[in-house]
Amino acid sequence: MSRRVEPIDSLDFFVTPPWATRALCEMLGAAGLITPGLGTVWEPAAGMGHMAAPLAEYFGEVWASDVHDYGVGLPTADFLIPGTGPRCPRRPDWVITNPPFRLGQAFVERAGQVAVEGCAMLVRTAFLEGVSRFQDLYRVRPPAFVWQFTERVPMHRGKLTATGSTATAYCWLVWVAGAEGTGFGWIPPCRKRLERASDYA
Ligand SMILES: C[S@@+](CC[C@H](N)C(=O)[O-])C[C@H]1O[C@@H](n2cnc3c(N)ncnc32)[C@H](O)[C@@H]1O
C-alpha cells in the first residue's frame, strides 16, 4: 500500500491540553488498569507531543509518532499503514491518542491489533453516535469504558492555549483486552488540580 500524502489542514491537528491526558491516566490507575511508572504506551498521532509528555508522567516508557513532521523531532509514521515509518520498538501495553475525527474508527481497530492491554481514544462525545459506527464498531467491539468529561476540554487547531473555550464535549473511550460490556463514568472536575503553568510555557 502506498502512503497517503495529505495537506496539513486536513490532518485534524487539534492540541490536547495536558490535564485531559492526566485525567485519563488517573482514571486508568483508579480502575487498576495501569501502575504509575510502569508499562509502555504508544501515542501514534502525537502532533507536537502534548499528549505524549503527560503520558511520560504515568508510564515507564512512551513512544510517540505522527504521520506529519511538526518539527519537534518525533518519528514520522502513518499509524494506519504499517511499515511506512519507524515502528514502536515492541508491542506497547497501551495505545493512547486523540485521533483525527474522520479516522477514529480505523485508529481504534488498528490500536486493538497493536496494543497488548488496551487502548484509549479521546474523542468528541458525538463520536458515540452513528448507526454505521454502532454496527461496525460498538456492536462488535464495545469499549470497556466511556469516561465523560464533566468540564469542557478546550482544543484548538494547531495551538495549545490556557484560556480557550469550546462548545464541544469530549470523552475518553477505553478498550481493555478481554473485557466485556461497557461501563460509563464521569470524569469529575479535575482541571484545576491537574493543570500546571509549565504546560503552557
Ligand atoms: C487531533 S490531533 C492530535 C494531536 C496530539 N495527539 C495532541 O493531542 O496534541 C490528530 C493528529 O493525528 C495526526 N494524524 C492524522 N492522520 C494520521 C495517521 N494516519 N497516522 C498518524 N497520525 C495521523 C495528525 O497529524 C494530528 O497530529
Side-chain angles (χ1 to χ4, degrees):
M1 275 191 285
S2 65
R3 181 171 182 166
R4 284 188 304 268
V5 177
E6 299 193 37
I8 187 167
D9 59 0
S10 75
L11 291 173
D12 221 3
F13 177 41
F14 283 80
V15 177
T16 305
W19 66 267
T21 301
R22 295 188 186 109
L24 167 75
C25 293
E26 300 229 333
M27 296 288 284
L28 290 174
L33 294 169
I34 63 167
T35 303
L38 300 179
T40 55
V41 60
W42 183 6
E43 212 290 39
M48 299 182 81
H50 292 94
M51 188 173 277
L55 287 174
E57 300 167 13
Y58 294 87
F59 284 84
E61 192 181 344
V62 179
W63 173 260
S65 56
D66 196 284
V67 74
H68 182 76
D69 182 359
Y70 290 94
V72 293
L74 295 179
T76 308
D78 188 328
F79 184 57
L80 302 179
I81 306 182
T84 56
R87 262 168 288 186
C88 195
R90 56 189 165 277
R91 275 188 80 190
D93 297 316
W94 284 84
V95 169
I96 296 177
T97 194
N98 173 20
F101 188 80
R102 71 191 165 78
L103 296 177
Q105 185 173 330
F107 264 69
V108 172
E109 284 162 4
R110 174 95 183 103
Q113 296 162 357
V114 169
V116 175
E117 293 181 17
C119 67
M121 301 282 160
L122 177 60
V123 295
R124 297 177 205 166
T125 303
F127 190 77
L128 290 171
E129 296 177 337
V131 173
S132 57
R133 199 174 290 123
F134 168 72
Q135 286 173 336
D136 298 344
L137 179 62
Y138 300 132
R139 189 174 54 86
V140 290
R141 211 163 158 253
F145 297 103
V146 176
W147 287 333
Q148 172 66 45
F149 278 97
T150 50
E151 294 164 290
R152 282 290 158 92
V153 183
M155 282 197 232
H156 298 279
R157 191 180 289 277
K159 63 174 184 193
L160 179 64
T161 156
T163 55
S165 61
T166 180
T168 306
Y170 287 90
C171 62
W172 280 103
L173 302 185
V174 181
W175 283 263
V176 179
E180 288 179 11
T182 300
F184 179 86
W186 284 272
I187 300 175
C190 59
R191 175 174 176 170
K192 202 169 171 194
R193 182 171 58 85
L194 297 177
E195 195 168 43
R196 326 230 188 288
S198 56
D199 292 341
Y200 305 97

